[in-house]
Every structure is written in structure tokens, then in C-alpha cells.
Amino acid sequence: MQGQVLGVDARSGHGLVAGNDGQRYTFLPEDWAQRGEPAIGQSVDFETSGSRALNIFPLAPAQAPLATSAVPHNDRNKYVAAALAFLLGTLGVHRFYLGRTASAIVMLVLTLTFFGLIITGIWALVDTVRYLIMSDRAFAARYPR
């Protein structure tokens, strides 16, 4: 039978599956027949024994349409972020640009000391290189508006 995971107790591993027949079935961690842990909403295939689900296997997710494989829209540009990191990185300007306000403030405060200036200089250089080698998709996913 096929169904969907409704919930899983993180401490005990006990869970609940809704079958396509409209019934709900409980399961134990040893009933999960795959590596990893079940996730809420995950489609599964399982056998039943009374009100218990046995031998639970996750179903492969449906293939995404080709149109969704495009790069997600993001109004932040990785090249602008890299330029800001390279030119004004010790002040954390690039982090403010990307919405990482807490780490930007930390960089700004660290810049007030000599050793902090060295640390933020290295930090900004690493950020510059990281932004440049990061794919557009990864950048958009990591720094959404």
C-alpha cells in the first residue's frame, strides 16, 4: 500500500502513516527499511498488519519539470557581493548587502582592532573567492531576499 508520513517523534522514532485507503498506521524505527529517517509529508510504500505499517520504503520523488531547473530569481548579484567583499570587506559591507547583518556587525567591530583587522581581511578575501566560485543557483538559494 502507498501513503504519506504524517509525523515522527524525534526522540523515540515512532511515527504515523496515512494510507491511501484512508486509514492511519503506526510504525516503529525498525519498520523503516531504508537509510536515513522518515520525513513528514514523504510518500512511502508499506505493508500493513492490523493498525501497524511494516517494511516502509520511501517512494522516489516525482521528476521536476524542466522549467523549474532554471536559476531561481535573486535581486542580489554574486559579482557585486564579491566586489564589495574585495574592496570594503573588512567593514562587512558585503555582508550587509547579502542580509547577513549579525556577521556584518561582528566584522565592523573587529575592524576596530589591529588583530581584528587582519582577521576580517582574511575573512573578506575568503568570502570574495567563495562568491566567485559559487554557482548562480547555490548563491540564489543561500542568499534569498
Side-chain angles (χ1 to χ4, degrees):
M1 175 181 308
Q2 292 186 354
Q4 188 174 24
V5 177
L6 293 178
V8 180
D9 183 1
R11 289 176 292 159
S12 66
H14 295 104
L16 189 64
V17 175
N20 288 347
D21 62 353
Q23 299 293 320
R24 294 183 177 193
Y25 302 93
T26 60
F27 67 88
L28 302 174
E30 56 267 15
D31 296 325
W32 189 253
Q34 196 70 3
R35 278 188 160 175
E37 297 180 6
I40 295 174
Q42 186 173 24
S43 296
V44 293
D45 187 37
F46 59 96
E47 298 172 9
T48 62
S49 174
S51 65
R52 184 136 173 241
L54 305 170
N55 297 327
I56 304 169
F57 287 92
L59 295 174
Q63 293 294 328
L66 293 176
T68 61
S69 65
V71 175
H73 175 70
N74 190 357
D75 58 346
R76 295 177 175 149
N77 188 318
K78 72 178 191 176
Y79 299 109
V80 171
L84 287 172
F86 185 73
L87 298 173
L88 302 169
T90 57
L91 299 174
V93 174
H94 63 291
R95 295 234 166 214
F96 282 114
Y97 171 73
L98 295 174
R100 306 289 194 198
T101 309
S103 61
I105 292 171
V106 168
M107 289 183 83
L108 190 58
V109 170
L110 279 174
T111 302
L112 299 176
T113 66
F114 177 72
F115 291 112
L117 185 63
I118 293 171
I119 291 169
T120 57
I122 294 169
W123 188 354
L125 185 61
V126 168
D127 280 349
T128 301
V129 172
R130 193 167 50 104
Y131 299 150
L132 290 174
I133 64 173
M134 190 180 293
S135 71
D136 290 338
R137 177 183 304 282
F139 185 84
R142 185 171 179 99
Y143 304 106
R145 176 61 68 180

